[in-house]
Amino acid sequence: DAMVIQNPRYQVTQFGKPVTLSCSQTLNHNVMYWYQQKSSQAPKLLFHYYDKDFNNEADTPDNFQSRRPNTSFCFLDIRSPGLGDAAMYLCATSRDGGYGYTFGSGTRLTVV
Amino acid sequence: AQTVTQSQPEMSVQEAETVTLSCTYDTSENNYYLFWYKQPPSRQMILVIRQEAYKQQNATENRFSVNFQKAAKSFSLKISDSQLGDTAMYFCAFIYNQGGKLIFGQGTELSVKP
């Protein structure tokens, strides 16, 4: 089945140690999104790629960066994770926003 | 600016009963799309139902249906014959253009009790 896959499912990293989360999709969707979701809150959009065009949200910290080497893969890099960056990170894709997004299972990041 | 408001942080319903989750939104756009997403404790966000603003007919997906009132900017979700597996956080969401960003409400945590 076509899907959005996030790895790893759980990630523990040390305070200040760079970490990379990955997302892949077999849907051939042209738009990929990264959301941060903290407990009992709505997902917060960090950035998205429309094809190769990167779109950063104004309030996304500089600590967060993203790469999209090809249509299928997208990475979230956190350069120096702080305790406040502990959250669930959701990757989503869409072909046409009007049909909604397809979400991955998420990566739960713990910072110790 | 577009906003989505869910005024019920928590709701509970008895198994087999019907429950309605409320959602209102604010936009000056005329063509847009509305969604209800379900996020169970496993945390994967799943699309429940979708409504196109230019369609007057309310969307229905099995036990899930919506009451879309465009003039009132209201988009409620009705779950009939509630099942234990419906226990989840439900997010109302809005998007108004292709490639645009999905705007979420704050969520309603639904508990279905046996």
Side-chain angles (χ1 to χ4, degrees):
Chain A
D1 288 342
M3 55 199 328
V4 179
I5 301 167
Q6 290 189 245
N7 285 307
R9 189 71 188 269
Y10 300 92
Q11 175 76 56
V12 180
T13 190
Q14 291 181 334
F15 182 94
K17 184 175 181 180
V19 65
T20 295
L21 310 181
S22 73
C23 176
S24 64
Q25 55 131 340
T26 59
L27 298 159
N28 204 32
H29 285 173
N30 60 325
V31 194
M32 295 187 77
Y33 308 81
W34 279 105
Y35 282 86
Q36 180 192 65
Q37 186 180 27
K38 298 192 174 180
S39 184
S40 300
Q41 296 183 18
K44 176 180 178 298
L45 183 64
L46 295 173
F47 26 58
H48 73 278
Y49 277 93
Y50 194 109
D51 294 321
K52 293 183 178 181
D53 294 332
F54 177 70
N55 298 272
N56 198 31
E57 292 299 299
D59 57 354
T60 298
D62 293 339
N63 199 23
F64 291 83
Q65 297 181 336
S66 184
R67 297 170 282 135
R68 189 179 185 185
N70 54 52
T71 301
S72 301
F73 285 87
C74 196
F75 299 97
L76 169 62
D77 301 309
I78 309 176
R79 290 193 295 182
S80 181
L83 298 178
D85 296 328
M88 176 72 83
Y89 290 88
L90 300 172
C91 175
T93 71
S94 74
R95 170 175 55 85
D96 172 344
Y99 289 92
Y101 295 4
T102 302
F103 285 84
S105 298
T107 295
R108 181 175 294 283
L109 178 69
T110 300
V111 182
V112 298
Chain B
Q2 285 80 16
T3 59
V4 178
T5 302
Q6 294 177 247
S7 58
Q8 304 151 314
E10 298 177 355
M11 292 191 72
S12 66
V13 63
Q14 292 295 127
E15 196 175 7
E17 300 280 302
T18 295
V19 64
T20 298
L21 279 56
S22 301
C23 173
T24 58
Y25 59 94
D26 188 26
T27 183
S28 57
E29 302 292 332
N30 192 45
N31 294 318
Y32 49 87
Y33 305 87
L34 294 159
F35 309 90
W36 278 97
Y37 279 89
K38 170 186 177 181
Q39 191 176 37
S42 66
R43 303 303 290 264
Q44 181 160 18
M45 195 85 72
I46 302 164
L47 179 63
V48 174
I49 201 164
R50 166 183 175 267
Q51 176 79 41
E52 298 168 49
Y54 64 86
K55 288 188 177 179
Q56 292 186 335
Q57 186 173 5
N58 289 323
T60 299
E61 288 288 341
N62 301 313
R63 298 183 295 108
F64 298 88
S65 61
V66 298
N67 183 5
F68 174 48
Q69 302 289 328
K70 191 172 183 179
K73 296 181 181 175
S74 170
F75 183 62
S76 60
L77 174 70
K78 185 172 82 171
I79 306 174
S80 303
D81 186 26
S82 297
Q83 301 175 0
L84 297 178
D86 295 333
T87 293
M89 182 74 87
Y90 286 81
F91 290 99
C92 179
F94 163 98
I95 194 167
Y96 73 91
N97 64 349
Q98 296 180 16
K101 62 182 181 181
L102 202 57
I103 299 167
F104 287 95
Q106 304 92 321
T108 296
E109 188 163 9
L110 177 67
S111 296
V112 180
K113 300 186 183 303

